Amino acid sequence: MLRTPEPELMEGLEQAQAYASADFSAGDQALIERVAALFPEGLGDRLVDLGCGPGNISFRLADRYGAAEVVGLDGARAMLDLAQRQLQQRPELQGRVRFRLDCLPLRGGSERFTAVLSNSLLHHLHDPQVLWSAVALLGEPGACVYIKDLRRPPSADAAVALQQRYLVDAPAVLQHDYIASLHAAFTPEEVQQQLEASGLADQLQVAPADDRYLEVWGRLF
Ligand SMILES: C[S@@+](CC[C@H](N)C(=O)[O-])C[C@H]1O[C@@H](n2cnc3c(N)ncnc32)[C@H](O)[C@@H]1O
């Protein structure tokens, strides 16, 4: 199946609210456990979550890595408003977690981080190189990198089968977005080519995960 890109930013209020109120907790916690297993020595003290949306992963990172600062970055104000609202309800995290409105491609001069993470951003990007450039720009030497996303199924029927298996009871807007996301996702082979083009192929590796994801991980030189 050929890739069909979807809009990059999730700027619609209804779309952002539907996403924020969906229960992704099992998958989000599995991501945190996976990161902990891949990097048992920890992630360092400055973590950035690219395309953080309402902050689902950012908050879990802050809970897991209690000494680290966490920056969630997203280009959609509607999403960051929801993240900010969550942060107000977690006063113990204020000062250690912050959200930054910024859009990939990033300009130079950014702060550097000991870990660069992202969940479900890559498939939104019309030019995936903006993610790999951001990883190289934001990660300091030795930084841990972990990127997870959907992978594109072989056919439209396979996409519908995944939606029926995993999102059959979700609100209509989420079901629609999920199918669109599967069509917009990359394959592991395409991501490998992206890593080679970006010069990161000797630092990061890509592999399929479960029946619908791919993950990219490694350490920057
Ligand atoms: C599917 S959501 C994932 C949210 C979050 N990472 C999570 O796991 O719950 C994708 C997010 O990426 C953001 N995004 C898409 N393209 C972007 C870009 N070029 N720069 C910054 N954020 C972007 C969208 O606004 C949206 O909030």
Side-chain angles (χ1 to χ4, degrees), residues 6-11 19 24 28 31 49-57 73-76 79 102-105 118-121 123-125 130 181:
E6 63 175 351
E8 287 208 352
L9 299 179
M10 294 175 69
E11 292 182 296
Y19 188 89
F24 297 118
D28 291 347
L31 183 152
D49 175 17
L50 299 177
C52 65
N56 297 359
I57 299 295
L73 182 153
D74 202 286
M79 283 291 195
D102 209 343
C103 205
L104 276 56
S118 178
N119 183 46
S120 266
L121 167 65
H123 73 268
H124 280 272
L125 300 171
V130 303
S181 296

Side-chain angles (χ1 to χ4, degrees), residues 10-21 78 82 171-174 177:
M10 294 175 69
E11 292 182 296
L13 192 57
E14 189 198 359
Q15 187 185 34
Q17 281 172 339
Y19 188 89
S21 44
L82 295 168
V173 63
L174 279 187
D177 283 359

Side-chain angles (χ1 to χ4, degrees), residues 36-119:
L38 285 171
F39 301 103
E41 63 291 350
L43 298 180
D45 58 4
R46 275 160 292 124
L47 323 183
V48 63
D49 175 17
L50 299 177
C52 65
N56 297 359
I57 299 295
S58 314
F59 288 114
R60 283 178 191 274
L61 286 169
D63 289 337
R64 176 78 181 219
Y65 299 99
E69 279 180 38
V70 179
V71 175
L73 182 153
D74 202 286
R77 183 172 293 281
M79 283 291 195
L80 285 194
D81 285 349
L82 295 168
Q84 206 59 49
R85 213 169 296 160
Q86 283 287 329
L87 185 55
Q88 277 162 13
Q89 287 164 19
R90 300 284 311 271
E92 77 281 9
L93 294 182
Q94 282 169 29
R96 196 160 69 76
V97 174
R98 68 196 145 88
F99 292 100
R100 171 173 146 191
L101 183 66
D102 209 343
C103 205
L104 276 56
L106 298 177
R107 311 286 160 227
S110 296
E111 53 189 327
R112 310 288 298 275
F113 295 88
T114 55
V116 183
L117 304 105
S118 178
N119 183 46

